[in-house]
């Protein structure tokens, strides 16, 4: 059986990733390519516990190295439990964030640098790389505004507190944003950069086009 396709979505908090991953999953289902959808951090029982530890704003004083190591611990579990078995079974995997997030947030935002993250990836994830990465990068100001509004809403509705990253200052997000652009420039074959302030429909169209193209080159029908 041919190996499945591994597609990741990346972008800043508030880039519209969550909406787009749902639209893409529905688009794939209509083409009978029923995807496995997962997210990082989280997605497994262990990963959800790691996620709570990472995103709770009471987790103050997490050293950048701790944060980075927890992201990879979560990823190792997701690869073992979900991603690798699905790819081996020929399934298409859609993952909301992967190592590019660690490079952008911990490598860029927390200033650990890219090399450490790339080395960790090799150690923990081996040669597993996404076949395609869709990077949503609207302007920084739009992302920040949307992320703030969403957090207030989620906290009011569920009492869940996932604010820790959003409390970071703007300079942090600027570094994340710049690192994402750097990754896109370094790996143009893998990373499709979707930038500018587009509508939800326009972003979806660009995503669908990129995925359709990749499905054809990978020999999947659609
Ligand atoms: P999440 O609620 O999934 O945000 P979004 O819906 O915007 O994707 O929260 C994930 C947060 O964790 C987000 O702020 C980015 C951060 N993160 C890292 O800092 N490093 C990582 O490796 C990953 C996977 C996420």
């Amino acid at each position: 059986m041919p190996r499945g396709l591994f597609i990741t979505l990346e972008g800043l908090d508030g880039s519209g990733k969550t909406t787009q991953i749902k639209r893409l999953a529905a688009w794939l289902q209509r083409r009978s390519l029923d995807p496995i959808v997962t997210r990082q951090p989280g997605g497994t029982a262990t990963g959800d516990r790691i996620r709570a530890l990472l995103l709770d704003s009471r987790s103050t004083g997490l050293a950048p190295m701790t944060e980075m190591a927890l992201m990879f611990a979560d990823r190792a579990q997701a690869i073992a439990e979900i991603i690798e078995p699905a790819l081996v079974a020929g399934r298409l995997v859609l993952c909301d964030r992967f190592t590019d997030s660690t490079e952008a947030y911990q490598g860029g935002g927390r200033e650990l640098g890219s090399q450490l993250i790339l080395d960790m990836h090799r150690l923990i994830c081996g040669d597993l790389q996404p076949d395609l990465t869709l990077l949503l990068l609207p302007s920084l100001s739009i992302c920040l505004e949307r992320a703030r509004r969403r957090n207030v809403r989620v906290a009011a509705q569920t009492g869940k507190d996932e604010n820790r990253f959003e409390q970071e200052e703007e300079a942090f997000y600027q570094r994340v944003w710049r690192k994402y652009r750097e990754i896109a420039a370094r790996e143009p074959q893998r990373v499709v950069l979707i930038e500018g302030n587009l509508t939800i429909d326009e972003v979806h169209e660009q995503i669908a086009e990129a995925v359709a193209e990749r499905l054809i080159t990978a020999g999947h029908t659609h």
Side-chain angles (χ1 to χ4, degrees):
M1 168 164 328
R3 197 172 156 84
L5 212 62
F6 183 29
I7 299 178
T8 58
L9 262 91
E10 291 283 353
L12 250 69
D13 316 66
S15 60
K17 244 174 349 80
T18 310
T19 306
Q20 293 299 337
I21 210 159
K22 282 191 199 132
R23 298 254 327 236
L24 176 57
W27 185 90
L28 288 163
Q29 265 148 9
R30 287 200 297 278
R31 282 155 188 80
S32 306
L33 285 162
D34 195 21
I36 302 270
V37 183
T38 185
R39 69 165 178 180
Q40 294 189 352
T44 63
T46 305
D48 285 337
R49 294 170 72 186
I50 297 174
R51 179 185 175 88
L53 198 62
L54 278 163
L55 302 188
D56 191 324
S57 46
R58 282 166 299 186
S59 295
T60 48
L62 268 191
M65 283 292 186
T66 313
E67 195 175 87
M68 185 273 294
L70 285 171
M71 293 295 179
F72 274 106
D74 166 75
R75 188 159 301 130
Q77 194 63 28
I79 291 171
E81 261 186 55
I82 301 174
I83 299 173
E84 194 54 36
L87 292 174
V88 167
R91 298 287 299 273
L92 194 152
V93 177
L94 271 189
C95 192
D96 188 346
R97 300 191 177 283
F98 195 62
T99 297
D100 294 327
S101 282
T102 319
E103 188 177 346
Y105 283 78
Q106 282 68 50
R110 302 272 186 242
E111 301 181 276
L112 292 179
S114 287
Q115 198 53 53
L116 174 73
I117 311 303
L118 298 174
D119 291 348
M120 282 293 288
H121 180 86
R122 183 138 278 288
L123 274 172
I124 306 283
C125 314
D127 54 11
L128 179 64
Q129 290 291 350
D131 298 294
L132 172 66
T133 296
L134 303 153
L135 171 55
L136 308 189
L137 219 51
S139 76
L140 186 61
S141 56
I142 285 204
C143 292
L144 291 177
E145 177 54 31
R146 285 198 208 138
R148 279 190 197 113
R149 265 191 274 137
R150 185 195 59 174
N151 270 312
V152 170
R153 196 174 62 234
V154 170
Q157 282 168 354
T158 65
K160 263 200 195 161
D161 178 4
E162 291 200 338
N163 259 328
R164 204 174 69 84
F165 278 94
E166 277 75 11
Q167 285 167 0
E168 294 299 333
E169 80 281 27
E170 203 162 314
F172 172 87
Y173 283 107
Q174 230 154 42
R175 290 195 295 273
V176 175
W177 199 89
R178 262 191 257 120
K179 187 58 85 179
Y180 265 136
R181 290 200 65 98
E182 207 181 294
I183 296 169
R186 184 182 71 210
E187 293 180 61
Q189 300 291 342
R190 171 175 68 88
V191 182
V192 172
L193 177 61
I194 298 172
E195 53 186 343
N197 298 325
L198 307 170
T199 65
I200 291 178
D201 284 342
E202 286 167 338
V203 173
H204 173 69
E205 269 165 39
Q206 290 201 21
I207 288 179
E209 199 180 308
V211 171
E213 210 175 278
R214 203 54 56 113
L215 286 169
I216 292 167
T217 47
H220 292 254
T221 49
H222 72 284

